[in-house]
Amino acid sequence: MMIEKKNRTIVLPSMAWLLAMLASAAQAVPPISPLATPQYSFRVGSPSVLDSSVDASSVLFQQGLKARVLFDSNGFGLDDPADDVDALSGATMTEPPAFFILMFSVDEKSFGAARPDTLAIEADVPYNTWDQAWRGHQAGDMYMSCTVFNGGQDEPTRVIQASDVVPNNVLVTNNYDEGGVDFAARPVTSAEDVMVAGTTQDVVDATAYLSTNDFFFSVSQGSPSLPRLSTDASGADLFFYDATVGRVSLYATAAALGLAASDDIDAMIVVDADLDKQFGADDLVFFSLSPNSPSLATIPGVSPVAGAADIFLSHAGRGLSVLAPAGVLGLGDAADNVDALELDYCVGAMEYAARHGIRNPGGSGQYSPPPSATTIRPGNRGGNGKGNGSGN
């Protein structure tokens, strides 16, 4: 079914989609204190991209039930429909917070390794990557790590590392309307809903809280316009865009970050210590790599399974290291892939989750796991419904 509005064709959800949305008995409850939705992008091939609601190379913001364009991709040199902004970062951070959590998104093949944490269930915020994958709509969400990281301010050599490890995650921003703060992403679901197998999903593949009209970004390896931005044409090159003057510049090459030209950065956070928009001095880049990146086989300490869900740290002049193996985030299934990344100041993860997590409609520490995967499972995965991860 289609309607015309403001010279744009809008494709309405199918009847099967709507019936699946209505199948749940109760919707999840919005957070006590909802986080603002970051600016973001959808991956090429997402339903909202295929029907031309938005394109995969523009920077979006949520407005009501719609994803709107904040920065049109033509402004930063991406004018081919197959171009894909693969990662975003704000441009004003000069050092990481003293303590922080990571916030991340995953793709539609990801399944997670950890069942909901006992303390999260008791706090009525039980939804995590594993839960949402069972329900068939994990790719348009944002999750917070239950692990807190130390920003290294007290160390003369700035050692950034996990300081309070709880190997799990909690859903903080849903793909679609959960109290008005979300990604306006398909399918049209509550966190509690269960989708029919094979339901297509919008994939949130870049997130950043942007406070200015400039930002860092990367472009997927297969984007046709990438050779115009960099002679290396690498998906691991990072760029800076100043929207005020409409100029794109190269911030860091793949080689400067310790990576191969054939690698593909698909999530990142940039700490530009001196705000000069050139990777050097005491700059830091937190990032994740796409599953087909060759460096996943060579970086010391990378997870032998689910390396695409590891978070790496490139420190200018000090090399490349693993900041958070996939298991620290509650991930670790062979198909897990982190494809968007942000952070926020946090001292106590479970207190943060209790305030900002999507809440269980049952309340009182009750949690009903998704139905057996013999009837419902993400459409691109088979199996017996018992998962591959260790979980808790």
Side-chain angles (χ1 to χ4, degrees), residues 61-103:
F61 71 102
Q62 178 238 351
Q63 184 179 60
L65 300 180
K66 298 287 187 180
R68 305 291 190 187
V69 174
L70 179 63
F71 295 107
D72 188 279
S73 56
N74 289 322
F76 43 101
L78 303 178
D79 54 11
D80 191 288
D83 289 335
D84 187 8
V85 166
D86 215 10
L88 285 171
S89 173
T92 60
M93 191 185 305
T94 57
E95 63 177 3
F99 297 95
F100 62 90
I101 52 162
L102 293 172
M103 297 187 290

Coordinates of all heavy atoms in Angstrom, one line a residue, residues 61-103:
F61 N 18.3 12.3 12.0 CA 17.8 12.5 13.4 C 16.4 12.1 13.5 O 15.7 12.0 12.5 CB 18.0 14.0 13.8 CG 17.0 15.0 13.2 CD1 15.9 15.4 13.9 CD2 17.2 15.4 11.9 CE1 15.0 16.3 13.3 CE2 16.4 16.3 11.3 CZ 15.2 16.8 12.0
Q62 N 16.0 11.7 14.7 CA 14.6 11.3 14.9 C 13.7 12.4 15.2 O 14.0 13.3 16.0 CB 14.5 10.3 16.0 CG 13.1 9.8 16.3 CD 12.7 10.0 17.8 OE1 13.5 10.5 18.6 NE2 11.5 9.8 18.1
Q63 N 12.6 12.5 14.5 CA 11.5 13.5 14.7 C 10.2 12.8 14.7 O 9.7 12.4 13.7 CB 11.6 14.6 13.7 CG 10.6 15.7 14.0 CD 10.7 16.8 12.9 OE1 10.4 16.5 11.7 NE2 11.0 18.0 13.3
G64 N 9.6 12.6 15.9 CA 8.4 11.8 16.0 C 8.6 10.4 15.5 O 9.5 9.7 16.0
L65 N 7.8 10.0 14.6 CA 7.9 8.6 14.1 C 8.6 8.5 12.8 O 8.6 7.5 12.0 CB 6.5 8.0 13.9 CG 5.6 7.9 15.1 CD1 4.2 7.4 14.8 CD2 6.3 7.1 16.2
K66 N 9.4 9.6 12.5 CA 10.1 9.7 11.2 C 11.6 9.8 11.4 O 12.1 10.5 12.4 CB 9.7 10.9 10.4 CG 8.2 10.8 10.0 CD 8.0 9.8 8.9 CE 6.5 9.8 8.4 NZ 6.3 8.8 7.3
A67 N 12.4 9.3 10.5 CA 13.8 9.6 10.5 C 14.0 10.7 9.5 O 13.6 10.6 8.3 CB 14.6 8.4 10.0
R68 N 14.6 11.8 9.9 CA 14.8 13.0 9.1 C 16.3 13.3 8.8 O 17.2 12.9 9.5 CB 14.2 14.3 9.8 CG 12.8 14.1 10.2 CD 11.8 14.1 9.1 NE 10.4 14.2 9.5 CZ 9.4 14.1 8.7 NH1 9.6 13.9 7.4 NH2 8.2 14.2 9.2
V69 N 16.5 13.9 7.7 CA 17.9 14.2 7.3 C 18.4 15.5 8.0 O 17.8 16.5 7.9 CB 18.0 14.4 5.7 CG1 19.5 14.8 5.4 CG2 17.7 13.1 5.0
L70 N 19.5 15.3 8.7 CA 20.2 16.4 9.3 C 21.3 17.0 8.5 O 21.4 18.2 8.3 CB 20.8 16.0 10.7 CG 21.5 17.1 11.5 CD1 20.6 18.2 11.9 CD2 22.2 16.4 12.7
F71 N 22.2 16.1 7.9 CA 23.2 16.5 7.0 C 23.1 15.6 5.8 O 23.2 14.4 5.8 CB 24.6 16.3 7.6 CG 24.9 17.2 8.8 CD1 24.9 16.7 10.1 CD2 25.1 18.5 8.6 CE1 25.2 17.5 11.2 CE2 25.4 19.4 9.7 CZ 25.4 18.8 11.0
D72 N 22.8 16.3 4.6 CA 22.6 15.6 3.4 C 24.0 15.1 2.9 O 25.0 15.9 2.9 CB 22.0 16.5 2.3 CG 21.6 15.7 1.1 OD1 22.5 15.5 0.2 OD2 20.4 15.4 0.9
S73 N 24.0 13.9 2.4 CA 25.3 13.3 2.0 C 26.0 14.0 0.8 O 27.2 14.0 0.7 CB 25.1 11.8 1.6 OG 24.1 11.7 0.6
N74 N 25.2 14.7 0.0 CA 25.8 15.4 -1.1 C 26.8 16.5 -0.6 O 27.8 16.8 -1.3 CB 24.7 16.1 -2.0 CG 23.9 15.1 -2.8 OD1 24.5 14.1 -3.3 ND2 22.6 15.3 -2.9
G75 N 26.5 17.0 0.6 CA 27.4 18.0 1.2 C 28.8 17.5 1.5 O 29.8 18.3 1.5
F76 N 28.9 16.2 1.7 CA 30.3 15.7 2.0 C 30.7 14.6 1.0 O 31.5 13.7 1.3 CB 30.4 15.2 3.5 CG 29.3 14.4 4.0 CD1 29.4 13.0 4.1 CD2 28.2 15.0 4.5 CE1 28.3 12.3 4.6 CE2 27.1 14.3 5.1 CZ 27.2 12.9 5.1
G77 N 30.3 14.8 -0.2 CA 30.9 14.1 -1.3 C 30.4 12.7 -1.6 O 31.0 12.0 -2.4
L78 N 29.2 12.4 -1.0 CA 28.7 11.0 -1.2 C 27.4 11.2 -2.0 O 26.3 11.5 -1.4 CB 28.5 10.3 0.1 CG 29.7 10.2 1.0 CD1 29.3 9.5 2.3 CD2 30.8 9.4 0.3
D79 N 27.4 11.0 -3.3 CA 26.3 11.2 -4.1 C 25.8 10.0 -4.9 O 24.9 10.1 -5.8 CB 26.5 12.4 -5.1 CG 27.8 12.1 -6.0 OD1 28.3 11.0 -6.0 OD2 28.2 13.0 -6.7
D80 N 26.3 8.8 -4.6 CA 25.9 7.6 -5.2 C 24.9 6.9 -4.3 O 25.1 6.8 -3.1 CB 27.1 6.7 -5.6 CG 26.7 5.6 -6.5 OD1 26.0 4.6 -6.0 OD2 27.1 5.6 -7.6
P81 N 23.8 6.3 -4.8 CA 22.8 5.6 -3.9 C 23.4 4.5 -3.2 O 22.9 4.1 -2.1 CB 21.8 5.2 -4.9 CG 21.8 6.1 -6.1 CD 23.3 6.4 -6.2
A82 N 24.6 3.9 -3.7 CA 25.2 2.8 -3.0 C 26.2 3.2 -1.9 O 26.8 2.3 -1.3 CB 25.9 1.9 -4.0
D83 N 26.4 4.5 -1.8 CA 27.4 5.0 -0.7 C 26.7 4.7 0.6 O 25.5 4.8 0.8 CB 27.6 6.5 -0.9 CG 28.5 6.8 -2.1 OD1 29.3 5.9 -2.5 OD2 28.4 8.0 -2.6
D84 N 27.6 4.5 1.6 CA 27.1 4.1 2.9 C 28.1 4.8 4.0 O 29.2 4.4 4.1 CB 27.1 2.6 3.1 CG 26.4 2.2 4.4 OD1 25.9 3.0 5.1 OD2 26.5 1.0 4.7
V85 N 27.6 5.7 4.8 CA 28.3 6.2 5.9 C 28.3 5.1 7.0 O 27.2 4.6 7.4 CB 27.7 7.5 6.5 CG1 28.2 7.8 7.9 CG2 27.9 8.6 5.6
D86 N 29.5 4.6 7.3 CA 29.6 3.4 8.1 C 29.9 3.6 9.6 O 29.8 2.7 10.4 CB 30.8 2.6 7.5 CG 30.6 1.1 7.6 OD1 29.5 0.7 7.9 OD2 31.6 0.4 7.3
A87 N 30.3 4.9 9.9 CA 30.6 5.2 11.3 C 30.6 6.7 11.5 O 30.9 7.5 10.5 CB 32.0 4.7 11.8
L88 N 30.2 7.2 12.6 CA 30.1 8.6 12.9 C 30.7 8.9 14.3 O 30.7 8.0 15.2 CB 28.7 9.1 13.0 CG 27.9 9.3 11.7 CD1 26.4 9.6 12.1 CD2 28.4 10.5 10.9
S89 N 31.3 10.1 14.5 CA 31.8 10.5 15.8 C 31.7 12.0 15.8 O 31.9 12.7 14.9 CB 33.2 10.1 16.0 OG 33.7 10.7 17.2
G90 N 31.3 12.5 17.0 CA 31.4 14.0 17.3 C 32.9 14.4 17.2 O 33.8 13.6 17.2
A91 N 33.1 15.7 17.1 CA 34.4 16.3 16.9 C 34.9 17.2 18.0 O 35.9 17.9 17.8 CB 34.4 17.1 15.5
T92 N 34.3 17.1 19.2 CA 34.7 18.0 20.3 C 35.3 17.4 21.5 O 35.7 18.1 22.4 CB 33.4 18.8 20.7 OG1 32.4 17.9 21.2 CG2 32.8 19.6 19.6
M93 N 35.4 16.0 21.5 CA 35.9 15.4 22.7 C 37.5 15.4 22.7 O 38.1 15.0 21.7 CB 35.5 13.9 22.7 CG 35.8 13.2 24.1 SD 35.4 11.4 24.1 CE 33.7 11.4 23.6
T94 N 38.1 16.0 23.7 CA 39.5 16.1 23.8 C 40.1 15.1 24.8 O 41.3 14.9 24.8 CB 39.9 17.5 24.3 OG1 39.3 17.8 25.5 CG2 39.5 18.5 23.2
E95 N 39.3 14.4 25.6 CA 39.8 13.3 26.4 C 38.6 12.5 26.8 O 37.4 13.0 26.9 CB 40.5 13.8 27.7 CG 39.7 14.6 28.7 CD 40.5 15.0 29.9 OE1 41.7 14.6 29.9 OE2 40.0 15.6 30.8
P96 N 38.7 11.2 27.0 CA 37.6 10.4 27.5 C 37.2 10.7 28.9 O 38.0 11.2 29.7 CB 38.1 9.0 27.3 CG 39.6 9.1 27.5 CD 40.0 10.4 26.9
P97 N 35.9 10.5 29.3 CA 35.5 10.7 30.6 C 36.3 9.9 31.6 O 36.9 8.8 31.2 CB 34.1 10.3 30.7 CG 33.6 10.3 29.2 CD 34.8 10.0 28.4
A98 N 36.4 10.3 32.9 CA 37.1 9.5 33.9 C 36.6 8.1 34.0 O 37.4 7.1 34.1 CB 37.0 10.2 35.2
F99 N 35.3 7.9 33.9 CA 34.6 6.6 33.9 C 33.5 6.7 32.8 O 32.8 7.7 32.7 CB 34.1 6.2 35.2 CG 35.1 6.1 36.3 CD1 35.4 7.2 37.1 CD2 35.8 4.9 36.5 CE1 36.4 7.1 38.1 CE2 36.8 4.8 37.4 CZ 37.1 5.9 38.3
F100 N 33.4 5.6 32.1 CA 32.3 5.6 31.0 C 31.9 4.2 30.7 O 32.5 3.2 31.0 CB 32.9 6.3 29.8 CG 34.1 5.6 29.1 CD1 33.9 4.7 28.1 CD2 35.4 6.0 29.5 CE1 35.0 4.1 27.6 CE2 36.5 5.4 28.9 CZ 36.3 4.4 27.9
I101 N 30.7 4.2 30.1 CA 30.2 3.0 29.5 C 30.2 3.2 28.0 O 30.2 4.3 27.5 CB 28.7 2.7 29.9 CG1 27.9 3.9 29.7 CG2 28.7 2.2 31.3 CD1 26.4 3.6 29.7
L102 N 30.2 2.1 27.2 CA 30.1 2.1 25.8 C 28.6 1.8 25.4 O 27.9 1.1 26.1 CB 31.0 1.0 25.2 CG 32.5 1.2 25.3 CD1 33.2 0.0 24.8 CD2 33.0 2.4 24.5
M103 N 28.2 2.5 24.4 CA 26.9 2.3 23.8 C 27.0 1.9 22.4 O 27.9 2.5 21.7 CB 26.0 3.6 24.0 CG 25.8 4.0 25.4 SD 24.6 5.4 25.6 CE 25.6 6.7 25.0

